[in-house]
Amino acid sequence: MLIDLHTHSTASDGTDSPAGLVVAAVEAGVQALAITDHDTTAGWARAGEQAEVSGVLLVPGAEVSCRVRGVTVHLLSYLHDPAEPVLSETLAASRDIRLSRARTMAELLGRDFPITWEDVLAQAAQGATVGRPHVADALVAAGVVADRDEAFAGLLADGSPYVVHHGAPHPVVAVQRVRAAGGVPVIAHALAAARGKVVGEDVLEEMVAAGLAGVEVDHRDHTAADREWLRGFARAHDLVTTGSSDYHGTGKQNRLAENSTSPDDLHRLLAQASGTRPFGELGALA
Ligand code: AMP
Ligand code: FE
Ligand code: FE
Ligand code: ZN
């Protein structure tokens, strides 16, 4: 059984529409997937409708941006109540601050390259959470780089003079807010040093104390040693472990279901949720 609990659509920085993402997942043989766009639930309804048509289980989720002592943390939230005000305002604030931050990056780049803020906005779907991938797409459209990978390897890498980071909630606060909204919090790619600085065990322990439900273990940015350490950490704290693709469509090499979560772990996550219900058929998983 293929279960992929971390994917992106055009509601953030993926290239498949929410419905197209579900269709692509079915084509890849996936029986259950989660839509986890950055800081938004805007794709849920359209992905959910398609899941019902396609006969696949769709777990509505989001990837919540967090920051602690200059380190970015991504917290997956599954099945939270999208109308709960504190979490939904947290996500809205992140979308806002991401807009002004992307605008600053566009202006910095515009001094040296032929791109404008309007060019960046033109790369994002209406209302989408704007991120560096959209800035990368504008650089591609302007002929400055060949693809997103080239942009992230240079002009948009962490530490580049053109990159500005945005403020975001402390991961412990985010865990609390996800739980308070009836959601199930799982930390994404916690040890992926290839992506930038990662948090220490102290922060992970604090997140567990605040209600963390699980850790994403099988992710392409984790080494074998990272996975082994995270499995041990999960065992010690009785946490769910997941495996996911972090699919972004054509914008990234990650392929749907390149990693998978066990049915047992999915059931453990579903059992902890009280915010909203999955779309599509649960029966198929029995
Ligand atoms: P931001 O959240 O705006 O700082 O941008 C980071 C996002 O860029 C994450 O969602 C990553 O998935 C994405 N990303 C990182 N590296 C790459 C890459 N090489 N190609 C495409 N997307 C990337
Ligand atoms: Fe992304
Ligand atoms: Fe992430
Ligand atoms: Zn992601």
Side-chain angles (χ1 to χ4, degrees):
M1 167 139 353
L2 293 176
I3 299 172
D4 190 344
L5 298 181
H6 184 169
T7 72
H8 295 265
S9 78
T10 49
S12 64
D13 56 1
T15 60
D16 293 357
S17 69
L21 168 67
V22 173
V23 169
V26 171
E27 278 168 7
V30 168
Q31 282 94 354
L33 82 152
I35 182 171
T36 54
D37 279 305
H38 298 282
D39 301 313
T40 186
T41 62
W44 286 14
R46 281 169 295 152
E49 274 169 33
Q50 185 60 50
E52 278 157 14
V53 170
S54 297
V56 68
L57 184 78
L58 178 84
V59 178
E63 186 170 16
V64 183
S65 302
C66 309
R67 217 160 153 83
V68 51
R69 296 193 290 270
V71 178
T72 296
V73 176
H74 284 174
L75 183 70
L76 297 162
S77 172
Y78 297 116
L79 295 157
H80 64 266
D81 175 1
E84 191 283 321
V86 177
L87 183 59
S88 72
E89 276 160 29
T90 301
L91 300 183
S94 282
R95 292 195 300 274
D96 275 359
I97 196 166
R98 279 168 158 285
L99 265 181
S100 47
R101 163 264 195 167
R103 182 177 190 139
T104 303
M105 288 195 287
E107 285 165 2
L108 289 171
L109 284 160
R111 294 177 189 171
D112 298 324
F113 303 96
I115 78 158
T116 65
W117 172 227
E118 286 68 33
D119 296 336
V120 173
L121 271 184
Q123 297 298 330
Q126 187 71 34
T129 303
V130 175
R132 270 183 279 176
H134 301 110
V135 181
D137 291 345
L139 290 166
V140 173
V144 176
V145 294
D147 52 27
R148 284 187 179 182
D149 277 344
E150 188 184 338
F152 273 92
L155 295 175
L156 296 182
D158 282 350
S160 157
Y162 301 109
V163 167
V164 179
H165 288 285
H166 59 92
H170 191 287
V172 167
V173 171
V175 166
Q176 291 164 341
R177 290 182 183 173
V178 168
R179 284 290 192 184
V184 185
V186 172
I187 186 169
H189 45 70
L191 298 186
R195 306 175 66 105
K197 281 182 284 179
V198 299
V199 288
E201 189 172 358
D202 54 336
V203 173
L204 294 177
E205 299 269 5
E206 287 171 46
M207 292 173 74
V208 171
L212 188 70
V215 288
E216 188 176 63
V217 173
D218 291 313
H219 183 288
R220 67 158 59 206
D221 296 340
H222 281 157
T223 64
D226 295 336
R227 297 174 197 214
E228 196 179 332
W229 190 90
L230 283 167
R231 266 187 238 289
F233 184 80
R235 221 175 293 120
H237 296 283
D238 195 26
L239 302 174
V240 171
T241 59
T242 66
S244 313
S245 67
D246 204 354
Y247 174 76
H248 281 68
T250 58
K252 248 184 148 180
Q253 285 165 23
N254 310 38
R255 302 281 43 110
L256 280 161
E258 64 178 30
N259 294 296
S260 182
T261 297
S262 74
D264 251 25
D265 282 311
L266 173 58
H267 280 296
R268 284 181 70 190
L269 294 175
L270 294 175
Q272 294 180 46
S274 61
T276 190
R277 300 174 63 80
F279 297 88
E281 267 312 298
L282 243 183
L285 279 173

